[in-house]
Amino acid sequence: MFARKKSPWVMHLPCGGCNGCDIEVVAALTPRYDVERFGVLQKGTPRHADVLLVTGVVTAQVKERLKRTYEMTPNPKFVVAFGSCAIDGDIFRDGYGYAGPLDEVLPVDTYIPGCPPRPEALIDGLNKLLQKVR
Amino acid sequence: MTSIPETLIGLLVYPGFLFSLVVGGLFYWLYRKIKARFQARIGPPCYQFFIDLMKLFSKESITPYTAGSTMLVLAPILSVTGLLLAEAMLPIGSGSVLEFEGDLIVALYLLALPGIAMMIAGTSSGSPYGSVGSAREASLMVGYELPYALSVLTLGFYVKSLSLSVIVRYQLVNGAFFLRYPMATLAFLLCLLPKVGRRPFDAPEADTEIIGGPLTEYSGALLGLFEVVNGLRWFVIPAFAVNLFFGGGANILEFLLKSLGLVLLLSILDVIHPRYRIDQGFKFFLKWALPLSLVDFVRSLVLS
């Protein structure tokens, strides 16, 4: 659907990461990259969001909360795994708090690899996600 | 007395719902574009507001189990109704849909409805962010409604009529009121900022502090209705100001150009200011806007 493609409202969900990805996400909102020209707005509440942007490893602490946040989001909703940690745990894979890759907790639509991915990668990933939206 | 179909068209198509939604949506886009250009960004395309609306209305609406569901649904409807009825009373270009003696007072009350609906929305959503947002809206409203109403009543006392069309016709003959009552105009313009929910008085919806404020728990179509309110108020509230202080418009083009000027002013004020804390915002209105409007109110009492 045309309207859904042109106005993805994003909620940024930092889990147990090192904050590197979060800074890159915020950088994508700055004047240099300006994602608002694609209709992307950052929202603070899952009720307003279409896309959940998950960064960092899924820890035992955050797992249930992640599921609850996903259930709070109104349909249709999409999940983007941002950064290597969200995809497979990266260097934290053997840690005691690690609770599985993100796609075992939530249905992930798009993976954006990198440690951390650049803001261009976020824009590209969102673009690929929206190509799939119909 | 106009017939029922004419009134319905006036309410729903022109100059009512559709017309003001389109113009308001474009004004809202203009605000976002100006903000983007000030920050050296490109900004959203001009159809962004309508796309957002279409998307929101196609989404699922969730009612949280902590929420009072009746009031949750009624609040945005109340808000849209208030703005639409107020809009029908405004003389846009030639004449208004509803016209009667005393419509100035009714319009004042109806334009307060969006704020009240915001308070209802926040308290009924059962979210702490919503409650904080409503409390802020309430205390800001106590601050700005008084100078707002006083500066409007200044004109009423001057022309000895509480009819909007009389005020507009008086200005078409004798020149706009902002020359005669500059201080009331200034106070009124200051009160427009919290009315459209813009900085420096956007504490009720401060997205960096209290997530979405009163709208935190809203989703899908209900949030879409609040977007409709947002679009409508970007047209209706500047239009009210144009009618009262800037001489209305002899035709629709002049009217729209004057509203555009006001929208530019509000947008620039929004962009160049940081947000006031809620107590600072409240104090600001009682300290500056209220005395300004009082001075002109007393002047109009003495002159008339």
Side-chain angles (χ1 to χ4, degrees):
Chain A
M1 200 181 141
F2 178 66
R4 226 165 262 162
K5 268 186 184 176
K6 292 289 182 183
S7 115
W9 288 0
V10 167
M11 189 198 174
H12 176 202
L13 267 175
C15 297
C18 69
N19 235 250
C21 294
D22 307 327
I23 288 166
E24 298 299 318
V25 169
V26 174
L29 303 167
T30 53
R32 186 172 171 83
Y33 295 100
D34 184 26
V35 283
E36 201 189 349
R37 65 200 150 121
F38 307 119
V40 179
L41 282 184
Q42 198 201 10
K43 291 285 172 180
T45 154
R47 301 265 192 232
H48 298 193
D50 304 297
V51 179
L52 293 176
L53 201 63
V54 186
T55 63
V57 281
V58 179
T59 56
Q61 272 268 332
V62 94
K63 194 174 173 183
E64 288 309 310
R65 283 150 206 195
L66 209 53
K67 280 184 193 162
R68 262 180 66 194
T69 314
Y70 181 75
E71 279 155 14
M72 275 183 202
T73 318
N75 279 320
K77 52 196 167 187
F78 310 100
V79 179
V80 173
F82 189 83
S84 306
C85 289
I87 294 172
D88 63 357
D90 205 26
I91 56 167
F92 303 109
R93 197 179 310 151
D94 302 323
Y96 63 92
Y98 182 61
L102 179 66
D103 50 9
E104 282 178 14
V105 184
L106 303 179
V108 177
D109 293 274
T110 309
Y111 301 88
I112 303 175
C115 186
R118 289 185 60 86
E120 290 98 329
L122 171 64
I123 297 173
D124 183 49
L126 274 179
N127 190 27
K128 279 183 181 142
L129 169 72
L130 298 175
Q131 299 279 311
K132 289 203 295 186
V133 177
R134 260 194 305 269
Chain B
M1 200 62 200
T2 46
S3 64
I4 290 167
E6 263 180 64
T7 315
L8 273 182
I9 286 178
L11 260 179
L12 295 178
V13 186
Y14 175 84
F17 181 68
L18 267 181
F19 173 74
S20 39
L21 189 65
V22 169
V23 177
L26 289 176
F27 281 170
Y28 180 51
W29 163 72
L30 198 73
Y31 153 71
R32 279 173 75 174
K33 190 82 177 171
I34 288 171
K35 195 171 180 181
R37 293 309 296 156
F38 264 75
Q39 298 170 348
R41 288 190 285 129
I42 294 170
C46 64
Y47 50 78
Q48 189 61 53
F49 172 76
F50 309 104
I51 293 278
D52 285 351
L53 270 191
M54 277 162 67
K55 182 205 73 182
L56 284 174
F57 277 107
S58 72
K59 282 196 77 150
E60 178 194 12
S61 283
I62 301 171
T63 312
Y65 71 92
T66 48
S69 56
T70 327
M71 292 321 275
L72 197 78
V73 177
L74 273 181
I77 297 173
L78 187 71
S79 194
V80 173
T81 320
L83 277 174
L84 269 189
L85 283 178
E87 217 260 341
M89 288 172 193
L90 301 180
I92 290 170
S94 45
S96 54
V97 184
L98 302 168
E99 218 178 295
F100 50 91
E101 181 62 29
D103 54 4
L104 187 64
I105 300 289
V106 181
L108 265 184
Y109 272 104
L110 287 175
L111 283 179
L113 271 185
I116 292 168
M118 209 56 129
M119 277 146 62
I120 296 174
T123 42
S124 66
S125 67
S127 147
Y129 297 115
S131 318
V132 173
S134 332
R136 287 182 175 195
E137 177 78 40
S139 47
L140 205 55
M141 239 177 139
V142 172
Y144 71 72
E145 280 295 338
L146 189 57
Y148 179 78
L150 262 185
S151 47
V152 171
L153 289 181
T154 305
L155 310 182
F157 272 105
Y158 185 79
V159 297
K160 293 207 171 51
S161 161
L162 286 175
S163 159
L164 272 165
S165 49
V166 171
I167 290 177
V168 173
R169 252 180 270 131
Y170 181 87
Q171 291 180 89
L172 286 178
V173 181
N174 299 335
F177 269 127
F178 78 95
L179 297 170
R180 202 180 294 271
Y181 290 116
M183 281 178 276
T185 313
L186 194 61
F188 189 80
L189 286 180
L190 286 175
C191 298
L192 289 190
L193 282 165
K195 280 259 169 196
V196 288
R198 286 301 133 204
R199 263 185 290 257
F201 306 109
D202 68 340
E205 288 155 76
D207 53 346
T208 45
E209 295 163 20
I210 47 171
I211 318 290
L215 308 183
T216 305
E217 292 295 332
Y218 275 85
S219 58
L222 291 176
L223 184 64
L225 273 178
F226 269 113
E227 270 307 289
V228 168
V229 170
N230 194 17
L232 284 178
R233 68 182 180 183
W234 269 100
F235 175 60
V236 176
I237 287 163
F240 191 51
V242 165
N243 270 324
L244 288 176
F245 287 97
F246 298 96
N251 52 42
I252 183 73
L253 194 67
E254 190 194 340
F255 189 84
L256 283 182
L257 278 178
K258 280 179 179 174
S259 319
L260 185 70
L262 263 188
V263 168
L264 289 180
L265 180 71
L266 292 181
S267 308
I268 292 171
L269 280 178
D270 172 279
V271 175
I272 64 177
H273 281 105
R275 182 182 304 126
Y276 270 136
R277 221 168 49 213
I278 185 67
D279 59 321
Q280 291 170 329
F282 180 71
K283 260 184 213 155
F284 180 90
F285 281 113
L286 293 190
K287 210 171 177 182
W288 300 106
L290 186 61
L292 279 176
S293 58
L294 257 181
V295 167
D296 268 358
F297 185 64
V298 173
R299 263 180 64 208
S300 80
L301 279 184
V302 173
L303 283 177
S304 62

